[in-house]
């Protein structure tokens, strides 16, 4: 680094500008060592593990907006996946496990290639902020149009809401936001793209309208 | 898997300091926990060379940092424990200086220039290491660093010129 330090006064000031950090101690070292071992996947409980993500329906930033109609963000299971690129799984609040493929990527050739790269990156799930996505969805509101044309709010305390369904929507939205951000980082900030998911969540606690055979 | 433990043991203190300087001592342990979790999940990608392993871990930390700044991070029991230790008054080290003026000037730089300064002067990275971490060419890092110092020189000169005589004496 000697070639960089041509201004000793400024360098000294910059070296000294470092913010406060915790002091090293035997106790801190022990806590760090324990954390290093405790974070090994086999040692992480279901509740503490960052939940891997997945999409339970057709999503795309061009098609799905915050607070969109329920039919656009529900757990619609596609009949098949013609071109799966990755497999994902996650656990719902009820304990039901969702799993299945993501794929059928669409977009311009360059965008589709970048999207495939994003989806297959092992670190991709780590970029999903489910809590923030849930808060964003809740703030945006969510409505459902019943068969008689009545529009109802899908929110906690109504028969149209469940914790599993809300969590799944948050996962979907978090993934969409993360894809959008990752594509922007790759030089495609305003690209049109989509991908599909064929996710099954056996035993999930969905409201009646989301159950197979209900309106969708 | 022992390689992951070895790499984490060798670098966790530096990673914690890196995160503390950017997020504060309160939030850094949570993000460090995430960094470690990701390191375990991607264990197959861990470089064998210790220096490369260090850069790999900092690359994960950089990503986790960006994510942490987007949303609230989860609180884990071990993170709480580490936080409690960090906050014990007797255990908290003083900042390297009163440094507010200098840090304000660094913060006022364009983000990419500011980060080069932080990585050189706070974390001790070489320009070549920063190029690897930031995934840009060494010449780009070198020009960013030169430009950042040029701007800092101007800003610090201005700040010294505009403070009161008493403060100016303290700064000088």
């Amino acid at each position: 680094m000697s070639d960089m330090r041509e201004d000793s006064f400024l360098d000294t000031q910059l070296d000294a500008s470092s913010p406060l950090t915790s002091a090293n101690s035997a106790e801190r070292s022990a806590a760090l060592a324990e954390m290093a071992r405790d974070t090994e996947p086999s040692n992480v409980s279901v509740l503490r593990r960052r939940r891997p993500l997945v999409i339970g329906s057709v999503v795309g930033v061009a098609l799905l907006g915050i607070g969109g109609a329920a039919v656009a963000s529900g757990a619609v299971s596609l009949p098949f996946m013609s071109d799966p690129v990755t497999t994902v799984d996650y656990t719902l609040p009820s304990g039901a496990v969702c799993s299945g493929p993501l794929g059928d990527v669409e977009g311009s050739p360059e965008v589709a290639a970048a999207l495939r790269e994003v989806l297959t990156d092992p670190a991709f799930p780590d970029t999903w902020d489910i809590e923030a996505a849930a808060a964003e969805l809740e703030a945006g509101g969510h409505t459902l149009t019943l068969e008689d044309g009545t529009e109802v709010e899908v929110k906690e305390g109504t028969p149209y809401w469940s914790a599993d369904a809300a969590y799944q929507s948050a996962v979907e939205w978090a993934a969409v936001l993360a894809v959008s951000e990752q594509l922007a980082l790759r030089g495609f900030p305003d690209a049109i793209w989509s991908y599909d998911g064929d996710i099954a969540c056996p035993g999930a606690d969905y409201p009646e309208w989301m159950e197979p055979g209900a309106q969708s | 898997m022992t390689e992951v433990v070895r790499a984490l043991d060798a670098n966790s203190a530096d990673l914690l300091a890196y995160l503390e300087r950017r997020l504060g001592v309160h939030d850094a342990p949570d993000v460090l926990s995430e960094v470690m979790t990701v390191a375990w999940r991607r264990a197959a990608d861990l470089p064998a060379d210790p220096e490369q392993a260090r850069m790999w871990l900092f690359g994960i930390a950089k990503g986790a940092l960006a994510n942490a700044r987007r949303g609230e991070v989860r609180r884990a029991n071990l993170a709480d424990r580490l936080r409690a230790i960090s906050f014990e008054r007797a255990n908290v080290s003083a900042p390297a200086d009163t440094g507010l003026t200098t840090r304000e000037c660094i913060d006022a730089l364009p983000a990419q220039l500011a980060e080069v300064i932080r990585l050189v002067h706070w974390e001790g990275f070489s320009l070549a290491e920063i190029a690897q971490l930031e995934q840009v060419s060494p010449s780009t890092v070198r020009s960013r660093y030169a430009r950042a110092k040029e701007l800092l020189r101007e800003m610090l000169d201005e700040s010294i010129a505009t403070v009161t005589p008493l403060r100016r004496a303290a700064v000088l």
Side-chain angles (χ1 to χ4, degrees):
Chain A
M1 214 159 59
S2 59
D3 60 325
M4 303 186 295
R5 292 181 172 274
E6 77 288 355
D7 183 341
S8 61
F9 177 70
L10 178 58
D11 288 332
T12 301
Q13 275 187 289
L14 295 175
D15 289 344
S17 69
S18 176
L20 178 150
T21 62
S22 60
N24 194 12
S25 68
E27 192 178 9
R28 193 188 75 163
S29 295
L32 285 171
E34 185 175 349
M35 182 186 281
R37 287 151 183 80
D38 186 78
T39 47
E40 182 179 0
S42 61
N43 293 333
V44 180
S45 73
V46 171
L47 290 177
R48 287 192 52 222
R49 176 177 288 177
R50 176 182 279 274
R51 289 154 286 206
L53 329 158
V54 184
I55 307 309
S57 64
V58 180
V59 292
V61 287
L63 303 173
L64 175 61
I66 301 173
V71 292
S73 60
V76 181
S77 182
L78 301 179
F80 61 87
M81 175 72 61
S82 61
D83 182 23
V85 298
T86 190
T87 301
V88 289
D89 63 85
Y90 67 94
T91 303
L92 297 175
S94 67
V97 174
C98 301
S99 63
L102 301 181
D104 289 356
V105 166
E106 291 186 4
S108 68
E110 296 81 10
V111 170
L115 179 50
R116 283 174 176 274
E117 187 181 297
V118 170
L119 293 176
T120 55
D121 183 345
F124 177 52
D126 302 314
T127 66
W128 298 12
D129 191 337
I130 299 171
E131 290 174 40
E136 202 172 322
L137 288 177
E138 189 176 347
H142 192 182
T143 59
L144 169 69
T145 303
L146 304 179
E147 286 180 330
D148 63 2
T150 308
E151 193 172 83
V152 296
E153 262 194 287
V154 178
K155 62 181 182 180
E156 190 168 3
T158 71
Y160 314 110
W161 183 94
S162 79
D164 279 0
Y167 184 82
Q168 186 161 2
S169 293
V171 169
E172 292 175 4
W173 187 236
V176 169
L177 294 176
V179 165
S180 182
E181 182 171 347
Q182 291 299 315
L183 289 177
L185 289 173
R186 287 164 168 78
F188 304 106
D190 302 311
I192 302 298
W193 50 268
S194 71
Y195 61 92
D196 295 338
D198 188 9
I199 310 301
C201 307
D205 176 26
Y206 289 133
E208 186 177 350
W209 67 267
M210 287 179 67
E211 295 292 350
Q215 75 174 74
S216 61
Chain B
M1 292 304 169
T2 55
E3 290 80 6
V4 176
V5 170
R6 191 177 303 121
L8 291 176
D9 284 349
N11 295 289
S12 59
D14 287 345
L15 288 166
L16 179 62
Y18 167 83
L19 294 169
E20 285 178 339
R21 289 183 185 114
R22 285 155 179 79
L23 295 170
V25 294
H26 184 271
D27 290 331
D30 289 308
V31 181
L32 179 61
S33 175
E34 296 294 339
V35 171
M36 291 179 172
T37 301
V38 173
W40 277 108
R41 189 181 299 144
R42 298 174 59 191
D45 300 329
L46 175 67
D49 176 72
E51 279 305 310
Q52 289 303 307
R54 173 180 168 80
M55 297 309 299
W56 182 77
L57 286 171
F58 270 92
I60 293 174
K62 183 187 171 201
L65 185 63
N67 194 40
R69 283 171 169 160
R70 282 196 299 272
E72 186 180 349
V73 294
R74 292 179 299 115
R75 304 290 189 260
N77 290 338
L78 282 174
D80 286 338
R81 177 184 158 194
L82 190 55
R83 179 164 31 247
I85 294 168
S86 299
F87 265 105
E88 287 176 12
R89 183 181 294 267
N91 275 339
V92 175
S93 63
D97 72 347
T98 54
L100 186 59
T101 301
T102 309
R103 280 204 299 277
E104 285 175 339
C105 291
I106 295 171
D107 290 344
L109 290 173
Q112 292 174 331
L113 303 189
E115 188 59 8
V116 173
I117 291 293
R118 294 186 188 107
L119 290 170
V120 170
H121 292 278
W122 298 0
E123 314 302 340
F125 282 114
S126 69
L127 296 187
E129 289 172 329
I130 295 169
Q132 184 178 347
L133 187 63
E134 298 291 304
Q135 298 184 320
V136 296
S137 71
S139 62
T140 298
V141 174
R142 186 171 294 278
S143 65
R144 284 180 186 173
Y145 184 63
R147 178 61 180 152
K149 290 184 80 171
E150 181 185 342
L151 291 171
L152 284 168
R153 237 175 252 118
E154 291 172 8
M155 284 192 283
L156 287 167
D157 284 348
E158 280 179 17
S159 72
I160 290 171
T162 55
V163 294
T164 62
L166 186 61
R167 175 90 184 275
R168 183 177 181 180
V171 172
L172 291 172

